[in-house]
Amino acid sequence: MPKIEVKNITGKVLKDLSLSVGDKEILALVGPNGAGKTTLLNVIAGLTDYSGEVLFDGMNMDRVPPHRRGVGYLFQDLALFPHMNVAANIAYGLRIRRYAPAVIGERVDELMNALHIAKLRDRFPYNLSGGEKQRVAIARAIAPFQKILLLDEPTANLDAQTAKYFRSELSVFLRRLEITTVFVIHDLLGAEEMADRIAIMHQGSIEQVAAPGDILFRPRTRVVSEFIGMPNILNCDECTVLSTGLVEVRSGSMRLVLPYEGTAMSKLAISPHDIYISDSKPPGPALNRYTGTITEIIPLRTVVRVKVLVDGNELLAELSRETFDEMKLAAGSNVHLIVKLRRLRYFEV
Amino acid sequence: MNFKKLSIAVSFTVFALYGALILSLFYYYDGAVFLETLKSSRTLFSIRLSLFTATASTIIAVIVAIPSAYALSRFRFFGRQLIDTMLELPMIVSPVALGAVVLIFFNTPTGTFIQDHGIRFIFTVYGIFLAQFIVTVGIAIRLIKAAMDEIPVRYEEVARTLGASPARAFMTVTLPLCKRGIIASSILTWAKALGEFGATITIAGSMAMKTETIPVAIFMRLASADIEGTVVLVLMLIGIGLGILYGVRLLTGRAVPV
């Protein structure tokens, strides 16, 4: 039985939306602004009016007020209680539910240690950094032994580097807690890093719900395909594990080197904006660098997409209008391509 | 002169205006009369009565104002605009007129029934409570609502998802967060009640040792051309009012950043 089921939800921007989330599953809601992602979280938490049905473990929740739904919610603005210190913020839900002081103390310590915030115990929110606030807010949302956790942009307040680290840490943490999680994120890469399944939302509806690989390699609608940026899909004909923790993949006569994570792969996805184009040979080692011939130029509103034929594979690259104009590119020109190693995405077999 | 200096100069001008007015009182100040007036049982009664009624009416006004302000701040309901407009009644209608309205009400059959079978308000201490309550409650609601508007609803939503009922979310989150605003509103309400004159004299009259508050006593002394006595009472009113306001402000001066 699914842990969370929403059926034919209509309200605010949502249009007859249905979705189910499995027990202990981590599901990402991805989509452009105004798609209704946060509204859907509010519906699950019971914080907004809706028509339709929300079920937890098969039980109808429509008439259950937010404080009896047992749903932890990390709001995008975190909203730590400014008049309470870190420990009191985390303990709030446990106190409200009248847990014994010993249980409260133990739970607060456990969460503070797990999220590495034990040293912040007596600090007040105005005295915390963005990352620290994030950890405290997550600890507070989970503390009263919630079975469901909703996270609205859990890494929105962090810089890119910290966000990446925090996402992987959070993913491990949530799996260890075995808590059913629905989280909103605007970045597809972030969603892939954390989620078991991804739901792509658009204008109040769900376009596709699938495992990250399926979304990437088998987009079901044009909206999904456009949202994920029409990636270049390459078949992996041969994989050779290199001794340095890297794997060399052969696709046709193209060879790519990418991080090896101990899994074989059948396909590779490269987003068009992860391929750099240069009109002169770039300096440095020849790793993941190719030369090719432009076959087609597709001008869009702010960017230009360029199709380049490389060793029998046709790759789609994206560059800004300014860069494109500067390089004076035309169909038939020879160009150099650099594939960003860290942004390669691959599909496990 | 730059804008900063100009604005500071204007604020000092206002201060100088009030300061000059207070200083002018000392032209008629007489130490002997001061002591004599201060020691008189009539003055002491007025001080006690003023402090007691202002405090009691403020407590009741704030108790009524907190839930009303919360409703107006948080919910959108039918008649909300009407209530909000009505709260300005004490600000747009002069206190004497409000007092007259109360007097007229107690001369209607309903009013007479209340007077005969409930509490007698006209020319009694209860009348002073009522006058001060009517004049201040609208302002108290307005001020407390402004304090509550500053507290994002989000804190209550967080509390709700953590298991707090709406009432507990209010008690444990919103109320502590707007505590300073409520205290500040209460002080202003109390100050307004302490200085209330028009409605008080209209409803409760000016009976010495019975319904004579400090403002009423000032009026009575002035009416009988007792300038020295008037000065003493005015100085007392200013001293009590400013002293308590300043003291409470010092006590509650610690800020909680939201």
Side-chain angles (χ1 to χ4, degrees):
Chain A
M1 184 183 292
K3 187 77 189 168
I4 308 170
E5 250 185 305
V6 298
K7 289 181 183 170
N8 311 106
I9 297 291
T10 302
K12 287 205 176 145
V13 291
L14 303 180
K15 290 176 213 147
D16 197 26
L17 183 148
S18 297
L19 175 73
S20 64
V21 187
D23 192 20
K24 296 165 195 165
E25 185 181 4
I26 300 179
L27 180 101
L29 296 177
V30 187
N33 289 339
K37 308 183 294 281
T38 301
T39 308
L40 180 56
L41 293 191
N42 288 339
V43 165
I44 296 171
L47 291 172
T48 190
D49 293 333
Y50 58 88
S51 66
E53 267 187 287
V54 175
L55 301 114
F56 294 168
D57 292 320
M59 277 178 39
N60 190 297
M61 288 285 134
D62 298 335
R63 288 173 175 274
V64 179
H67 62 283
R68 299 218 179 91
R69 288 197 180 195
V71 172
Y73 196 156
L74 177 85
F75 292 90
Q76 192 176 351
D77 53 9
L78 307 178
L80 292 175
F81 300 133
H83 59 306
M84 295 180 196
N85 65 17
V86 166
N89 259 287
I90 299 172
Y92 180 86
L94 297 158
R95 291 222 172 91
I96 287 288
R97 291 184 184 174
R98 299 184 202 285
Y99 279 95
V103 177
I104 297 177
E106 202 177 302
R107 178 74 168 161
V108 170
D109 286 345
E110 175 200 333
L111 287 170
M112 284 204 296
N113 289 330
L115 286 156
H116 312 293
I117 46 174
K119 63 182 190 303
L120 309 175
R121 171 177 276 277
D122 299 320
R123 297 251 285 268
F124 279 83
Y126 63 86
N127 222 352
L128 300 175
S129 72
E132 289 168 343
K133 280 184 191 163
Q134 204 87 20
R135 286 164 189 271
V136 176
I138 287 176
R140 179 180 66 176
I142 296 168
F145 305 97
Q146 316 271 34
K147 294 277 178 280
I148 292 170
L149 180 64
L150 309 174
L151 309 168
D152 194 356
E153 298 276 8
T155 55
N157 304 311
L158 308 175
D159 62 79
Q161 199 59 39
T162 316
K164 188 168 170 54
Y165 173 74
F166 188 64
R167 272 197 300 269
S168 65
E169 190 189 339
L170 188 60
S171 168
V172 172
F173 180 64
L174 293 175
R175 276 169 224 284
R176 210 179 66 214
L177 284 177
E178 300 190 326
I179 186 167
T180 307
T181 306
V182 179
F183 73 100
V184 164
I185 194 159
H186 64 271
D187 169 24
L188 192 65
L189 269 174
E192 283 173 47
E193 281 167 25
M194 281 175 66
D196 297 320
R197 283 192 308 155
I198 296 174
I200 306 272
M201 285 186 72
H202 181 70
Q203 292 182 349
S205 309
I206 287 181
E207 291 284 332
Q208 186 172 359
V209 193
D214 280 353
I215 294 266
L216 213 53
F217 296 102
R218 282 183 281 279
R220 219 171 48 195
T221 65
R222 212 174 68 93
V223 171
V224 176
S225 172
E226 271 173 13
F227 185 78
I228 63 175
M230 298 193 205
N232 299 286
I233 309 288
L234 303 180
N235 287 316
C236 302
D237 301 329
E238 192 187 318
C239 294
T240 318
V241 178
L242 306 173
S243 56
T244 48
L246 299 169
V247 62
E248 189 185 61
V249 172
R250 187 176 61 76
S251 175
S253 52
M254 254 182 97
R255 283 174 194 282
L256 288 122
V257 175
L258 37 139
Y260 180 56
E261 292 182 2
T263 46
M265 55 199 80
S266 64
K267 280 178 180 177
L268 265 177
I270 311 168
S271 178
H273 57 256
D274 290 338
I275 300 177
Y276 294 149
I277 288 189
S278 169
D279 50 2
S280 56
K281 189 175 188 299
L287 196 68
N288 295 349
R289 292 168 187 214
Y290 314 92
T291 50
T293 311
I294 295 179
T295 54
E296 193 184 341
I297 290 167
I298 311 155
L300 300 173
R301 210 145 46 105
T302 53
V303 293
V304 179
R305 285 191 165 161
V306 180
K307 276 189 188 167
V308 184
L309 191 66
V310 181
D311 297 337
N313 281 307
E314 194 162 64
L315 294 180
L316 188 67
E318 191 177 284
L319 60 166
S320 71
R321 232 168 214 293
E322 294 79 36
T323 318
F324 177 82
D325 292 340
E326 217 171 279
M327 287 196 279
K328 298 190 178 68
L329 299 176
S333 311
N334 281 330
V335 286
H336 298 268
L337 301 184
I338 307 165
V339 177
K340 271 202 255 178
L341 177 93
R342 276 194 305 164
R343 301 290 293 264
L344 285 170
R345 296 184 279 202
Y346 36 90
F347 183 44
E348 297 159 13
V349 175
Chain B
M1 193 184 279
N2 65 26
F3 186 70
K4 180 185 167 188
K5 284 180 182 164
L6 184 71
S7 57
I8 293 173
V10 172
S11 72
F12 268 103
T13 311
V14 175
F15 176 77
L17 174 71
Y18 286 130
L21 286 173
I22 293 170
L23 276 180
S24 70
L25 291 172
F26 289 94
Y27 185 75
Y28 284 98
Y29 176 76
D30 183 327
V33 177
F34 185 85
L35 275 180
E36 188 196 318
T37 312
L38 189 65
K39 279 185 196 161
S40 81
S41 56
R42 188 175 163 185
T43 308
L44 288 174
F45 178 85
S46 290
I47 293 173
R48 272 203 310 270
L49 181 66
S50 279
L51 291 179
F52 176 64
T53 51
T55 307
S57 63
T58 299
I59 290 171
I60 297 166
V62 170
I63 288 173
V64 172
I66 289 174
S68 314
Y70 184 73
L72 292 170
S73 168
R74 291 294 192 262
F75 309 122
R76 300 285 168 269
F77 53 91
F78 178 75
R80 183 175 166 275
Q81 292 291 340
L82 195 69
I83 297 172
D84 211 17
T85 311
M86 198 61 105
L87 294 179
E88 275 163 18
L89 198 67
M91 282 175 256
I92 51 170
V93 177
S94 85
V96 179
L98 271 183
V101 172
V102 173
L103 267 188
I104 291 163
F105 169 76
F106 282 116
N107 277 301
T108 61
T110 315
T112 314
F113 181 83
I114 293 171
Q115 286 266 92
D116 292 346
H117 298 92
I119 302 170
R120 187 162 281 279
F121 286 100
I122 306 302
F123 302 129
T124 67
V125 174
Y126 294 116
I128 304 174
F129 283 125
L130 186 65
Q132 292 176 341
F133 177 78
I134 287 173
V135 170
T136 58
V137 72
I139 297 160
I141 295 174
R142 266 298 165 85
L143 292 169
I144 293 175
K145 178 183 176 287
M148 285 178 178
D149 285 343
E150 293 289 306
I151 311 299
V153 184
R154 180 48 57 80
Y155 292 126
E156 284 170 47
E157 290 178 339
V158 172
R160 299 286 315 272
T161 62
L162 292 169
S165 64
R168 284 206 81 186
F170 171 73
M171 296 301 284
T172 55
V173 176
T174 313
L175 202 57
L177 281 177
C178 62
K179 187 174 70 187
R180 281 187 75 229
I182 292 176
I183 291 173
S185 311
S186 306
I187 295 169
L188 289 173
T189 305
W190 182 84
K192 176 96 180 138
L194 186 73
E196 211 300 308
F197 167 72
T200 307
I201 199 166
T202 317
I203 301 170
S206 59
M207 285 168 281
M209 305 298 285
K210 197 177 173 203
T211 59
E212 192 183 56
T213 58
I214 306 177
V216 172
I218 292 169
F219 176 74
M220 297 311 287
R221 298 246 174 182
L222 200 59
S224 57
D226 176 5
I227 306 293
E228 285 82 4
T230 305
V231 166
V232 171
L233 287 171
V234 171
L235 282 175
M236 265 183 217
L237 190 62
I238 292 172
I240 295 169
L242 286 185
I244 291 182
L245 285 184
Y246 190 66
V248 178
R249 237 168 235 176
L250 279 187
L251 282 176
T252 58
R254 280 177 303 126
V256 178
V258 173

